[in-house]
């Protein structure tokens, strides 16, 4: 046994309340983060039930996390490698994605498109809605019982994240726990039902940073190794925990001040990026462009250290021989129409 009970059905906030009724509440203890700003994009969200979609994402992530929960502290089944020895997939990855997909299809029918890490694209290719699902982000950590992995379910509308949920596993063998994050555009972000906000630290020297290293050990990977050494010298420290969804949520929670990485996929970041933005943070590419989940580099921060981080990072990124390739987007479904820029909700930059 794990020594703890299975995850509860978390309270995710004010279900089915209108967006209009929540936007504009700016008190520190209120539902909306004090630094969050209204979205200035014409997404046509007036006809979109964002609270319902947030709650749907939360239930999907909860269902997925239950599958993982049942596999904790047991021998890992169906362990396989993908591209190399560190890129793992397990039977739990596949079962978790299957459970999430089954729920979304019951709830939504075939109206939306879905992108799963394990199963690829399914559903309606003409839909403006695209679900991005990472059933088990941090599979290697899961396989070793290291407490940094998560289930991530995010939803794009016209290419912009509008709802999502991440269930992060905490603790460790025999003492597992969870943090359940829920978010809707314009509704703020919560952790286990309570509103969250990024930290107020405003300098890199006072910041705790996070990064990640993907499976492509090329030029960008080598440069990030240099960044790791550099920021270890000029900050309070750099962590590499191995689960992008959890890393983003910890920026949103105010545990860390910034997270950066190359070559993340839409399923890694769709929910987490919105959680950061709705917690008052800021997200761009590593060369300072507005971020979309189809971009190949990411810097997410509390907003207050963003400019200083960019000062260290952006000029170096521009020197890469792959700098132009990094500006190309990937994993965009054929024919999918997305607006050009994703807003970053921070007035502190």
């Amino acid at each position: 046994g794990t020594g703890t009970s299975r995850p509860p059905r978390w309270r995710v906030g004010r279900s089915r309340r209108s967006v209009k009724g929540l936007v504009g509440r700016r008190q520190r203890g209120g539902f909306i983060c004090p630094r969050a700003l209204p979205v200035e994009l014409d997404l046509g969200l007036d006809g979109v039930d964002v609270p319902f979609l947030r709650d749907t994402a939360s239930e999907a992530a909860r269902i997925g996390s239950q599958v993982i929960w049942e596999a904790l502290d047991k021998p890992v089944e169906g362990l396989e490698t993908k591209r190399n020895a560190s890129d793992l997939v397990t039977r739990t990855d596949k079962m978790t994605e299957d459970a999430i997909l089954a729920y979304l299809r019951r709830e939504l029918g075939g109206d939306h498109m879905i992108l799963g890490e394990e199963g690829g694209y399914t559903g309606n290719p003409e839909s403006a809605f695209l679900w991005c699902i990472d059933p088990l982000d941090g599979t290697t950590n899961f396989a070793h019982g290291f407490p940094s992995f998560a289930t991530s379910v995010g939803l794009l509308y016209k290419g912009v994240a509008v709802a999502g949920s991440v269930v992060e596993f905490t603790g460790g063998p025999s003492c597992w726990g969870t943090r359940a994050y829920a978010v809707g555009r314009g509704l703020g972000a919560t952790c286990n039902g309570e509103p969250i906000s990024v930290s107020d630290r405003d300098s890199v020297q006072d910041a705790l940073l996070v990064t990640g290293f993907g499976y492509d050990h090329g030029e960008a990977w080598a440069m990030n190794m240099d960044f790791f050494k550099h920021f270890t010298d000029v900050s309070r420290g750099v962590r590499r925990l191995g689960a992008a969804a959890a890393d983003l949520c910890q920026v949103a929670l105010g545990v860390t001040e910034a997270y950066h990485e190359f070559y993340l996929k839409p399923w890694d970041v769709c929910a987490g990026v919105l959680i950061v933005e709705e917690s008052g943070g800021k997200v761009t590419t590593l060369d300072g462009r507005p971020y979309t989940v189809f971009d190949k580099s990411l810097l997410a921060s509390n907003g207050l250290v963003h400019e200083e981080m960019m000062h260290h990072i952006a000029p170096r990124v521009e020197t890469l021989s792959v700098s132009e390739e990094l500006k190309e987007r990937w994993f965009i479904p054929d024919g999918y129409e997305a607006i050009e820029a994703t807003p970053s909700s921070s007035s502190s930059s």
Side-chain angles (χ1 to χ4, degrees):
T2 61
T4 54
S5 60
R6 69 170 60 228
R9 289 181 174 268
W10 301 285
R11 177 169 60 89
V12 295
R14 304 178 183 186
S15 177
R16 294 188 177 275
R17 292 280 297 276
S18 70
V19 177
K20 183 178 179 181
L22 290 173
V23 171
R25 298 185 64 174
R26 297 285 178 248
Q27 294 82 7
R28 182 77 176 179
F31 197 84
I32 305 298
C33 171
R35 287 207 292 272
L37 293 176
V39 178
E40 300 297 337
L41 290 173
D42 183 14
L43 296 180
L45 286 180
D46 288 346
V48 176
D49 191 344
V50 175
F52 167 73
L53 294 170
R54 175 202 58 195
D55 293 353
T56 299
S58 297
E59 181 64 5
R62 186 196 70 80
I63 288 170
S65 72
Q66 294 282 15
V67 178
I68 298 171
W69 188 269
E70 296 297 331
L72 295 174
D73 295 344
K74 297 176 182 176
V76 178
E77 296 183 2
L79 182 63
E80 302 172 4
T81 59
K82 293 194 267 190
R83 285 171 295 179
N84 57 46
S86 61
D87 189 3
L88 304 180
V89 63
T90 70
R91 183 168 177 264
T92 301
D93 292 74
K94 297 171 183 176
M95 291 176 60
T96 301
E97 185 165 307
D98 287 346
I100 292 170
L101 292 178
Y103 168 74
L104 290 177
R105 287 165 181 157
R106 287 196 308 270
E107 192 73 9
L108 303 169
D111 292 341
H112 293 185
M113 187 185 295
I114 299 173
L115 169 60
E117 179 179 11
E118 307 305 331
Y121 293 106
T122 59
N124 179 8
E126 297 181 356
S127 177
F129 291 99
L130 174 61
W131 293 85
C132 299
I133 298 165
D134 194 337
L136 179 45
D137 186 22
T139 300
T140 300
N141 290 339
F142 164 78
H144 288 264
F146 183 83
S148 183
F149 50 91
T151 296
S152 177
V153 178
L155 175 63
L156 302 176
Y157 178 66
K158 298 180 181 179
V160 175
V162 294
S165 179
V166 172
V167 178
E168 175 192 7
F169 284 78
T170 63
S174 300
C175 61
W176 292 104
T178 54
R179 286 194 285 248
Y181 302 85
V183 67
R185 186 164 289 282
L187 302 180
T190 61
C191 177
N192 291 347
E194 297 300 321
I196 59 175
S197 175
V198 294
S199 76
D200 59 4
R201 295 185 180 91
D202 60 4
S203 68
V204 169
Q205 72 173 9
D206 294 328
L208 182 63
L209 309 176
V210 183
T211 191
F213 299 92
Y215 303 114
D216 180 0
H217 293 185
E219 186 183 4
W221 180 90
M223 178 170 283
N224 201 24
M225 283 290 185
D226 291 338
F227 287 149
F228 190 99
K229 289 184 267 188
H230 172 74
F231 284 115
T232 297
D233 286 338
V234 301
S235 71
R236 287 184 173 172
V238 185
R239 304 292 180 258
R240 194 274 188 170
L241 300 175
D247 292 338
L248 286 163
C249 287
Q250 290 183 24
V251 173
L253 198 59
V255 174
T256 58
E257 278 64 58
Y259 164 62
H260 69 275
E261 190 165 347
F262 292 100
Y263 294 119
L264 292 164
K265 315 297 195 307
W267 53 80
D268 295 318
V269 299
C270 185
V273 162
L274 183 58
I275 291 169
V276 170
E277 291 180 342
E278 288 289 326
S279 299
K282 181 173 182 176
V283 185
T284 67
T285 63
L286 286 174
D287 57 358
R289 291 174 292 115
Y291 182 78
T292 80
V293 303
F294 305 114
D295 281 301
K296 296 179 180 178
S297 71
L298 173 146
L299 172 62
S301 79
N302 67 354
L304 299 172
V305 302
H306 205 93
E307 185 175 351
E308 189 178 353
M309 290 289 294
M310 289 298 302
H311 175 76
H312 291 277
I313 292 173
R316 292 288 310 280
V317 171
E318 290 291 347
T319 68
L320 288 169
S321 66
V322 294
S323 62
E324 291 304 311
E325 182 262 329
L326 283 170
K327 295 175 183 178
E328 299 171 1
R329 292 173 179 165
W330 59 353
F331 292 97
I332 303 176
D334 290 341
Y336 186 70
E337 295 185 9
I339 65 171
E340 277 303 304
T342 296
S344 187
S345 304
S346 175
S347 60
S348 54
S349 57

